[in-house]
Amino acid sequence: MSWPYRSKQFLTSAAISLVSFTALAEASASTTGVARLPVLGYNTWNAYQCNINEDLIISTAKLMKSLGLQSAGYTQVNLDDCYAETNRTADGLITPDKVRFKSGFNALTNQLHSLGFNAGIYSDSGWFTCAGYPGSFQNEALDAKTFQDWGFDYLKYDNCAIPYDDIIREGTQGKYQRMANAIADLSKSSGKPPMIFSLCEWGWSQVWIWGKTVGQSWRTTGDIAAQWDALMNIVNFNSFITSATDFYGRNDLDMLQLGNGGLTFDEAKSHFTSWALMKSPLLIGTNLSAITPDILGILTNHEILAINQDPVEGTSISPFRWGINPDWTSNSTHPAQFWSGPSQNGTVVMLLNTLDEPANMFFNLTESPWIRAGRQYSVRDLWTHTDNGTAVRNFTAVNVPTHGVVALLLKDAGNEPDGIYPACAVWYQCTDKNGTHVGG
């Protein structure tokens, strides 16, 4: 669970490698029939690490219901590392910790299911998990069946304790494919839906290129931290690989750090907005017993969640202008600021103020590839939940807070008014039918 080092050269190769993202991944993405949309839920690691037990899991689920998180769409409850005994049984089985999970996992998952939640568990593609518990390498089929027999619907699969090359004799994709095959085979033999398979690979092997052929989500960076610079590093890295995300498969930006300290309110809004609009899974990593009304309000913003869960458009937002840096610049503290993407109800726009001071943020509408020239657009603010008039040709967000965000939904509102000068919003190559260059 360490943070891998990445240079600008690595990011450049990441952008180039994405060109080779093939139709094979797209074709195989929907074959499992699960996780068409990003998963929303809870994961124990960031708030509790190894300090977990069955009572904590159930109390967290009940809190999710009482706080309104379940009704907002957060229906997944995932155990992370440290739930097992340190050694397998004589039959090779992983077993629950006899003290912390004394009732067994069938009792736990039955309770979660009765509360209306899906249940998730964790394992590792190597010899051991990252905390030193039994991994699943060479036990993939046995462990997949164990997890299904316990009633789990979701598997997070980590990348620690990798076997030596002369043992594994395959690349990282093959190491993860072993468990993907075990899950698929088990689904066929049992007649049950396959577990959702979430790859926690950290991006070492450019997982965004092949991840969709193996699982339903894939981590693209190392572990997150509740610090602005750490969030911006993740946003920067993922700004170059947004086209890997679509229905059934998506870049996973790691758990939400809202409420864990280290972020201002505006930074927390930017964190949530970026993750949601990039269609990352949204897994809360916060102690819910200490959550504030402000953070709960961020997590339950129904208009932002509706974009993340859009049943018509599965793609991520992408940068259309980097802003303070030239386009396609990798900058881990000041990533792209101007983003857009399609939705079933219009064009989504995110303006991210990465500066250490408030800023006005201006853009021409047609800078976004989803906006038509010569049209005007109604403006819906997805944070204030207000309709803010009509934009013609351009838009300025005034006084965006330090490290703050603006999220808009632009809907086509018909032809722009006649007589606007110049004839084109963007003067470059704006030409009359007689060949006269207009403006500029």
Side-chain angles (χ1 to χ4, degrees):
M1 295 186 178
S2 59
W3 188 282
Y5 171 77
R6 288 177 177 80
S7 65
K8 288 188 178 181
Q9 289 80 7
F10 182 91
L11 285 165
T12 302
S13 70
I16 295 171
S17 296
L18 189 57
V19 176
S20 65
F21 188 72
T22 65
L24 174 63
E26 296 289 349
S28 63
S30 62
T31 55
T32 63
V34 298
R36 181 174 185 268
L37 299 175
V39 169
L40 276 62
Y42 188 88
N43 183 283
T44 59
W45 182 258
N46 283 17
Y48 302 105
Q49 297 194 351
C50 288
N51 299 314
I52 57 173
N53 58 56
E54 59 190 39
D55 293 335
L56 174 69
I57 304 303
I58 297 303
S59 65
T60 296
K62 291 179 178 178
L63 268 173
M64 291 174 72
K65 286 180 73 78
S66 65
L67 291 170
L69 288 165
Q70 185 187 62
S71 60
Y74 295 89
T75 57
Q76 186 75 44
V77 177
N78 294 343
L79 286 74
D80 211 283
D81 208 343
C82 310
Y83 61 81
E85 291 289 313
T86 54
N87 295 303
R88 291 177 179 267
T89 68
D91 295 329
L93 296 171
I94 294 176
T95 56
D97 183 287
K98 294 181 177 62
V99 175
R100 292 181 288 123
F101 294 95
K102 57 183 181 296
S103 302
F105 282 141
N106 289 105
L108 182 71
T109 59
N110 286 341
Q111 282 187 272
L112 289 174
H113 292 152
S114 69
L115 290 168
F117 292 99
N118 294 322
I121 199 164
Y122 166 98
S123 191
D124 192 281
S125 60
W127 298 118
F128 306 100
T129 70
C130 295
Y133 293 82
S136 290
F137 181 68
Q138 295 183 342
N139 287 286
E140 290 85 3
L142 179 63
D143 290 354
K145 186 176 188 304
T146 298
F147 300 147
Q148 180 177 277
D149 288 346
W150 282 340
F152 288 102
D153 315 284
Y154 175 112
L155 174 62
K156 174 183 173 181
Y157 209 51
D158 221 331
N159 193 36
C160 287
I162 298 169
Y164 293 156
D165 290 356
D166 63 354
I167 296 172
I168 197 166
R169 298 193 185 279
E170 57 190 343
T172 303
Q173 179 177 353
K175 183 162 63 80
Y176 280 85
Q177 188 69 56
R178 295 166 67 101
M179 181 56 82
N181 292 343
I183 292 172
D185 292 344
L186 178 62
S187 177
K188 291 176 184 177
S189 63
S190 68
K192 297 179 180 180
M195 287 180 288
I196 295 171
F197 191 34
S198 174
L199 285 59
C200 186
E201 193 274 339
W202 320 327
W204 282 113
S205 67
Q206 300 180 36
V207 62
W208 53 89
I209 296 173
W210 54 264
K212 195 174 290 188
T213 67
V214 178
Q216 288 77 51
S217 63
W218 45 87
R219 279 274 297 282
T220 56
T221 64
D223 288 359
I224 195 171
Q227 299 167 356
W228 177 250
D229 284 352
L231 300 181
M232 291 303 96
N233 182 64
I234 294 174
V235 170
N236 176 61
F237 188 87
N238 281 273
S239 68
F240 296 95
I241 57 174
T242 57
S243 60
T245 287
D246 206 335
F247 290 131
Y248 299 105
R250 54 201 52 88
N251 295 324
D252 178 357
L253 280 62
D254 203 6
M255 286 169 271
L256 294 170
Q257 290 299 283
L258 286 71
N260 281 345
L263 299 178
T264 68
F265 177 68
D266 287 311
E267 289 171 345
K269 285 175 61 178
S270 296
H271 173 23
F272 180 75
T273 304
S274 302
W275 266 234
L277 301 189
M278 279 196 266
K279 304 292 179 75
S280 175
L282 300 178
L283 292 171
I284 301 167
T286 302
N287 182 342
L288 293 181
S289 64
I291 197 170
T292 65
D294 283 345
I295 296 301
L296 184 61
I298 293 174
L299 288 168
T300 55
N301 182 328
H302 64 280
E303 293 193 70
I304 298 290
L305 290 173
I307 304 300
N308 181 265
Q309 296 290 298
D310 192 324
V312 176
E313 294 288 350
T315 56
S316 165
I317 59 169
S318 298
F320 62 81
R321 173 156 46 97
W322 260 246
I324 63 172
N325 292 308
D327 290 350
W328 300 102
T329 297
S330 172
N331 187 319
S332 62
T333 57
H334 293 84
Q337 296 178 281
F338 296 83
W339 302 64
S340 68
S343 82
Q344 64 174 328
N345 294 314
T347 298
V348 183
V349 173
M350 181 178 78
L351 308 176
L352 184 63
N353 180 13
T354 65
L355 301 176
D356 295 331
E357 59 188 10
N360 295 339
M361 301 187 71
F362 167 91
F363 67 97
N364 289 315
L365 299 188
T366 53
E367 288 185 81
S368 165
W370 311 109
I371 294 294
R372 296 168 57 190
R375 308 287 285 182
Q376 58 187 333
Y377 285 81
S378 65
V379 180
R380 174 73 176 178
D381 190 309
L382 302 182
W383 277 109
T384 63
H385 308 297
T386 56
D387 295 319
N388 292 359
T390 303
V392 179
R393 295 211 170 177
N394 57 62
F395 181 87
T396 302
V398 178
N399 202 32
V400 181
T402 303
H403 299 172
V405 71
V406 173
L408 307 172
L409 183 64
L410 303 184
K411 294 184 180 182
D412 192 308
N415 289 332
E416 66 180 25
D418 294 333
I420 296 180
Y421 181 85
C424 299
V426 180
W427 292 2
Y428 177 72
Q429 289 292 333
C430 185
T431 306
D432 189 86
K433 63 183 178 180
N434 66 9
T436 302
H437 185 64
V438 178

